[in-house]
Amino acid sequence: MPRQLRARTSRPNYASLLAIGDDRTSSGSDFAPDRLSDDAPENDPEVDEEEAEAVPKQGNTLATATRSRPSTTETRPFHKPPPKSQSAQVSTSKMSAPRAAKTYALPNPSVHHRHKAMPVFLRKEKVERLDAPPTLFNPPKIVSTNSMTSEQFLTDRISRAWGYNVGPGPVWDIMEDRSSFKEASEGEDTSMNESLRRPRVHQDVEVNPGWTRLDERDAARYFPTNTVLTDNGQPAPLHCFLGPYGRQTRVEMAMFDSHATSEYMPGSTSFVFNVGSPAWGVDWCPTYSDDRPHRGYKHYLAVAPFSSRSHSPMIGAKVHRPVPACIQIWGLQSKQGNILQEDRSLAGEIKCEMVVCLESGPAFEIKWCPLPSHDQWNEVHMEEHPRKLGLLAGTFEDGSLSIYVVPDPEDVRSKDDESTRPTSVHIPEPLLRIELEETSCWSLDWANSETIAVGCTNGYVAVYDIGHAIRTGQGSNMLPTHYISIHQSAVRALSWIRIPPTNDSGVPSTSEDPTVLATGGYDGMECLIDIREPHGNIVNRTRDVINSTTYSPFAGGPIMIDHDNSVKAYAISPSTLGRGHVLLEPDGPVWSVSASEYHAQLAVGSADGSCVTTNTLKTTRRGGSVPFFFRKIFQLDYSRKTGEFRMLDHFLPQETQERSTKLKGKQAKKDESETSTSTGVWPPEVGVHRVTWNMGNGLGGAPLLASTTGSGLCRVDWLLGRWMRNKVPYVNVPNMRKEVDDVMDEDSGDEVV
C-alpha cells in the first residue's frame, strides 16, 4: 500500500490580519485568504472613521518597507481593509481581530493644571488669626478660630480662598501658624496661645564670659573691606538711585547706613541698608510673645557679610583659624518721638546695633534657633553678665558648624557710645563647634531647639542632637547620630520637613523629632531622606546647581529648583508623593527660595537682581477668574561704566508663563522671544543671594521679608496681599472658617467671590 501523507490544513494568513494583500490570489496557494462572497458588504458601519483611515496608512507604510527589500516575486497592490466577515473566517486561528495601530504615551500633565496641595500634618485644635490688618510696631489683634486642617471641607475651602490672593504678600485675614515643634506644651489651649506653641528654650544658657567690647579701631579688622577704602579704613560708599522710575534720587550709602524708601517714594514701607560686602547669611531672630511689648514690637535681623566684596570661597577648602569676620545685628523699630500709633508703621527705621566679631571666618549660612531663646526683657541685668539675644548657628569658612550665644545689644552698649554707630563685641569661642575631619560643613537647618542637620561638601548629611551638649557645654569630639551619603558633590540646599513622625497606628508623635529631610546638591539631584533609612530617594534630577530649598506646610512639601531656572513644588503626601508643578520661572538662575509657616506666599531671589513673590496655592486650573500672577518686589541694576546702582520697585504684576513641551518650531521661538526680558548676563553685584520671611515674631511680623544682594545692599519689605476684586471669598472670614453658621449650604465650585 502506497504511503499516504496527512491532509494539509489551512493556516492563518498574517498578511490579511495586518490588512496586507491584494484582490488577486495566487492559484494553488494554501496561504492565500479566501475570497469574499459577492454579497458581502464592502464597509463595516461599526468601524470608526478615524480607525478606518489609519489602516490604509499602516498598509502604505509596510508597503514602502516591502518595496525597499529585494524580491523575486511580483509586487502586488494592496486592497482595502478586510471587512468583518473575513475576520470571522480566520477567527479559528485564535488571534485577535485586525486593529489600527496607534501611538500611546504615558500620561503627561497639562501645563494648564496643577496638583492640589495636600496637607500632611493635621492639627485639630484651635488656632489664632488676625482680627484687623497688622501694622508695624503695634500689637496685633488676635482671635481664636478653627484650624485649616481640622476638617477636610475647611482645608478645601481655605486653600481655595488662598488662591484668590493677587497681592505681593499674604492676605492678613486667613494667616495662621502651621508650625510643629516637639517643645510645644500639650493641651487644648496649646494652639490658641503662641507662648505655649512656641515656648522659650535654653533658659539656662548664658553668654560666654570671655566676650569683650572693642573700640572702633580694634574692630576695623573684623569689618568688611574693599580695594577702595575711606580714611577710617572702611569700604568706599555705594551710590544707588532710589525712588520712582524716571524721578530717582542718587543716594550715597556708606557701610551701616540705612534709608527708608518712604523718603523718596511716599507711602512705601521698605528699608534699604548697606552691610559693606556680599552677604550669604540672613535670618530673623525669634522673640517670645509675652516680651514683645517691652521692646515696642522690635524686630532683630542677623546678617553675615563676606570679608570683602571680592571674596570668593572655595567649596570644601578650610581656612586656618583665626580668620577675622563678623555678623551684624540690625534692629527694625519705630522712630523715637511723638508719633501717633497709626503712623508708626510709616515712621520706622532700621539700624545696625551690634557687630559680633568672630574668628571662624565668613559665614556661608546662618540660622537662629527657631524657638525664642533670649532672656526675659523685663528683668534688670548686670553689665558683667549681659542677657542673651538668642542662639545663632552657622557654617563658616573654617569648615565648622558653630553655635554662638549672641548677647543682647541693649546690655552691651556703653553709655559713651554714639547712638548712630554699632557696638562691637568680640566672642573668641562659640558655645559649640562641630568639625568633621574629612569634609567641611556647608549648609544647615534646625529641626527644633535640639536637633540640627548639616550638609557637607563631600555629599553627606549629618544629624546632631545638640540638646545635651548645649546644656552642659561639653560638645568636643561630638559624633552625629546619623551620617548618610546622599549626593556625589556638596550639599548646598537642606531643609527639614517639620512634621512629627507617626506611630504604628498612624497617630502623629508630636513629642518626637521630625525624620524627613529635603536636600539638593551641586550634582543636580534633589532628594527626600528619611533618616531612619540610611539612603536618599531621588525626586528630581537636573543639570543645574541646587542652591536652595525650603519647606512650605501650605504647599504640602518642599520647594526646590528645576531646570531652566524654574521653581517647583513637590508633594510629600502619600497619595501624590513626588509629584510636582512649576510655581514660576524667574529670568535668572535662582539663588534662594523662602516659604513661611504663617502664609502661602513664596519669595525667590535670583541672579538677575530681582526679588519676586508668588502664591503657592494659586488656582489649580488656568482659564479661571484668577490669573497666575507673580510680583517683582524690586530689581537691582548696576552700571559697569559709572559703578552706580539703581533699585526699582512698584512693578506691575506679571503672569506666570509656563512653557509647554508641545510647542515646537516657530511657535516655540516666538513665545521665547516674547517672554524673555533680560540679556542672560548679569554682574555679580546685583544677585539676590538670600531671601527669608519673618517666622519668629508671630502673626504681626509674618509679612516682613528680608533680602541680601551681592553688592552689600540689603532690603526689608513689609508686604501685604489683596483679595481678587477686593472681595473676601465665602462672604467673610468667620463664615469661611465655620466660626458661625454657614450661610452657604455648599461650596460653589471655583467662583467663591
Side-chain angles (χ1 to χ4, degrees):
M1 181 177 179
R3 182 180 179 183
Q4 294 183 354
L5 300 177
R6 60 180 178 82
R8 184 184 294 273
T9 58
S10 61
R11 297 187 178 182
N13 189 338
Y14 298 98
S16 65
L17 295 177
L18 293 176
I20 301 177
D22 58 21
D23 295 335
R24 303 173 301 170
T25 56
S26 301
S27 58
S29 175
D30 294 322
F31 298 96
D34 297 334
R35 283 187 172 275
L36 301 176
S37 58
D38 297 337
D39 55 350
E42 295 183 0
N43 297 320
D44 187 1
E46 297 181 5
V47 178
D48 186 30
E49 294 181 0
E50 296 181 0
E51 187 174 343
E53 293 176 1
V55 173
K57 295 180 181 179
Q58 175 79 7
N60 293 338
T61 303
L62 293 177
T64 304
T66 304
R67 286 195 295 270
S68 63
R69 297 192 301 267
S71 175
T72 56
T73 60
E74 180 183 358
T75 304
R76 302 172 182 176
F78 294 90
H79 63 76
K80 297 180 180 179
K84 209 172 185 180
S85 58
Q86 183 176 356
S87 301
Q89 293 181 6
V90 297
S91 61
T92 56
S93 63
K94 298 183 180 180
M95 296 187 66
S96 59
R99 296 182 62 86
K102 294 184 179 180
T103 303
Y104 294 93
L106 294 175
N108 186 22
S110 172
V111 296
H112 303 293
H113 178 270
R114 59 184 67 248
H115 299 290
K116 184 182 297 185
M118 301 291 294
V120 182
F121 174 61
L122 306 180
R123 175 179 281 118
K124 304 298 182 180
E125 301 83 9
K126 294 280 188 177
V127 295
E128 299 170 319
R129 70 169 178 87
L130 293 172
D131 195 34
T135 56
L136 278 173
F137 321 123
N138 289 321
K141 297 181 180 179
I142 304 294
V143 295
S144 176
T145 185
N146 295 319
S147 172
M148 176 181 176
T149 57
S150 59
E151 298 183 48
Q152 182 61 41
F153 85 94
L154 280 179
T155 302
D156 298 338
R157 175 177 289 191
I158 300 176
S159 297
R160 191 179 296 118
W162 268 113
Y164 283 83
N165 176 27
V166 294
V171 285
W172 60 268
D173 313 57
I174 54 177
M175 288 195 303
E176 66 174 89
D177 187 2
R178 294 186 60 180
S179 63
S180 175
F181 295 101
K182 71 174 186 179
E183 293 85 352
S185 301
E186 297 182 359
E188 297 181 357
D189 297 336
T190 300
S191 299
M192 296 175 56
N193 192 341
E194 183 184 354
S195 61
L196 299 178
R197 189 174 59 254
R198 293 175 177 261
R200 197 196 310 267
V201 296
H202 302 306
Q203 301 184 43
D204 298 333
V205 178
E206 298 180 353
V207 178
N208 190 337
W211 72 275
T212 56
R213 188 184 296 108
L214 302 179
D215 56 20
E216 191 169 351
R217 177 179 298 180
D218 295 335
R221 61 186 296 263
Y222 297 92
F223 292 171
T225 59
N226 197 10
T227 55
V228 179
L229 302 178
T230 59
D231 296 337
N232 56 2
Q234 295 185 1
L238 300 177
H239 296 89
C240 183
F241 288 88
L242 301 176
Y245 178 75
R247 295 181 287 111
Q248 290 190 306
T249 305
R250 186 175 183 266
V251 181
E252 181 178 293
M253 298 185 65
M255 187 170 61
F256 304 133
D257 285 354
S258 63
H259 292 274
T261 56
S262 58
E263 302 174 10
Y264 313 97
M265 187 177 299
S268 179
T269 55
S270 302
F271 306 89
V272 181
F273 55 98
N274 183 13
V275 299
S277 64
W280 277 13
V282 61
D283 197 22
W284 295 95
C285 178
T287 58
Y288 192 59
S289 59
D290 296 341
D291 288 345
R292 293 168 193 161
H294 299 286
R295 297 279 174 100
Y297 294 91
K298 186 178 182 179
H299 303 274
Y300 289 98
L301 182 69
V303 184
F306 280 172
S307 57
S308 67
R309 294 177 184 173
S310 60
H311 183 72
S312 180
M314 297 294 293
I315 301 175
K318 299 181 181 181
V319 296
H320 298 285
R321 291 187 296 269
V323 179
C326 70
I327 296 177
Q328 302 173 11
I329 307 297
W330 291 74
L332 178 62
Q333 60 186 353
S334 61
K335 288 185 177 179
Q336 303 296 329
N338 297 326
I339 301 175
L340 297 177
Q341 186 175 5
E342 293 78 7
D343 299 334
R344 285 185 180 178
S345 60
L346 300 178
E349 63 177 356
I350 186 170
K351 62 179 182 180
C352 185
E353 299 191 0
M354 184 175 64
V355 178
V356 181
C357 302
L358 311 174
E359 305 288 353
S360 302
F364 299 138
E365 188 170 8
I366 58 173
K367 287 188 177 181
W368 294 94
C369 175
L371 295 175
S373 55
H374 60 84
D375 294 328
Q376 296 184 12
W377 287 344
N378 57 351
E379 292 182 350
V380 179
H381 72 282
M382 302 295 293
E383 293 185 0
E384 296 81 5
H385 303 283
R387 293 169 294 183
K388 65 178 183 296
L389 183 62
L391 271 63
L392 182 63
T395 54
F396 296 88
E397 200 170 6
D398 63 351
S400 69
L401 165 69
S402 300
I403 300 178
Y404 287 89
V405 181
V406 180
D408 195 323
E410 293 193 0
D411 294 354
V412 298
R413 178 177 295 275
S414 175
K415 297 179 180 180
D416 299 332
D417 293 344
E418 299 180 9
S419 59
T420 58
R421 302 296 298 177
T423 302
S424 300
V425 176
H426 178 247
I427 301 179
E429 292 294 331
L431 173 66
L432 178 64
R433 175 179 285 138
I434 297 175
E435 293 180 293
L436 297 171
E437 183 179 358
E438 69 278 8
T439 185
S440 298
C441 299
W442 190 238
S443 59
L444 70 102
D445 192 26
W446 295 79
N448 43 53
S449 64
E450 296 183 347
T451 304
I452 193 169
V454 185
C456 305
T457 55
N458 61 352
Y460 280 72
V461 173
V463 180
Y464 290 90
D465 185 2
I466 61 175
H468 177 74
I470 289 178
R471 288 188 295 268
T472 59
Q474 300 175 358
S476 59
N477 300 325
M478 186 176 181
L479 297 177
T481 58
H482 302 80
Y483 192 57
I484 310 172
S485 176
I486 305 298
H487 296 270
Q488 299 177 0
S489 58
V491 181
R492 181 54 181 159
L494 182 68
S495 177
W496 282 99
I497 308 299
R498 289 180 182 167
I499 55 176
T502 57
N503 55 22
D504 297 339
S505 303
V507 179
S509 301
T510 56
S511 60
E512 300 293 333
D513 296 324
T515 60
V516 181
L517 279 163
T519 64
Y522 281 80
D523 55 359
M525 291 195 306
E526 299 167 343
C527 302
L528 287 177
I529 309 154
D530 192 328
I531 60 176
R532 296 171 295 186
E533 299 179 357
H535 63 84
N537 301 279
I538 300 177
V539 177
N540 189 27
R541 186 191 299 269
T542 70
R543 295 184 178 181
D544 297 332
V545 175
I546 312 301
N547 288 315
S548 179
T549 183
T550 183
Y551 167 65
S552 172
F554 289 85
I559 298 176
M560 302 183 182
I561 304 168
D562 204 355
H563 59 84
D564 294 336
N565 306 328
S566 60
V567 180
K568 196 171 185 180
Y570 295 93
I572 57 173
S573 175
S575 59
T576 57
L577 181 62
R579 297 183 182 179
H581 58 266
V582 176
L583 296 175
L584 79 160
E585 297 181 6
D587 293 331
V590 177
W591 266 104
S592 176
V593 294
S594 177
S596 177
E597 297 171 337
Y598 287 93
H599 54 78
Q601 292 297 109
L602 174 72
V604 178
S606 55
D608 65 332
S610 63
C611 174
V612 299
T613 62
T614 190
N615 187 358
T616 59
L617 291 182
K618 59 185 71 173
T619 177
T620 57
R621 287 194 308 273
R622 284 188 182 269
S625 60
V626 184
F628 286 7
F629 275 155
F630 72 92
R631 296 276 190 152
K632 183 178 289 187
I633 307 304
F634 69 88
Q635 173 79 46
L636 184 64
D637 299 329
Y638 177 69
S639 174
R640 293 185 176 94
K641 184 177 181 180
T642 62
E644 297 174 334
F645 293 89
R646 180 182 66 174
M647 185 172 289
L648 300 174
D649 49 11
H650 285 200
F651 288 88
L652 292 175
Q654 304 178 36
E655 189 173 5
T656 305
Q657 300 290 336
E658 296 191 63
R659 303 180 180 91
S660 172
T661 56
K662 297 181 181 180
L663 295 176
K664 297 180 180 180
K666 297 182 179 180
Q667 183 65 27
K669 294 181 180 179
K670 179 180 178 182
D671 294 345
E672 185 177 357
S673 62
E674 292 179 355
T675 57
S676 179
T677 59
S678 57
T679 62
V681 179
W682 308 276
E685 292 85 355
V686 303
V688 181
H689 288 170
R690 190 71 64 183
V691 292
T692 179
W693 290 102
N694 190 345
M695 291 185 289
N697 293 271
L699 293 170
L704 284 171
L705 175 66
S707 54
T708 64
T709 67
S711 62
L713 292 176
C714 304
R715 180 162 167 150
V716 170
D717 292 272
W718 172 263
L719 304 174
L720 287 176
R722 181 178 65 85
W723 292 113
M724 184 70 176
R725 304 191 191 97
N726 293 322
K727 294 182 180 180
V728 181
Y730 302 101
V731 183
N732 52 45
V733 175
N735 179 74
M736 180 198 307
R737 288 188 172 272
K738 207 69 175 182
E739 298 175 10
V740 296
D741 293 336
D742 200 346
V743 298
M744 304 172 63
D745 294 335
E746 57 184 8
D747 296 347
S748 56
D750 293 335
E751 300 296 333
V752 295
V753 297

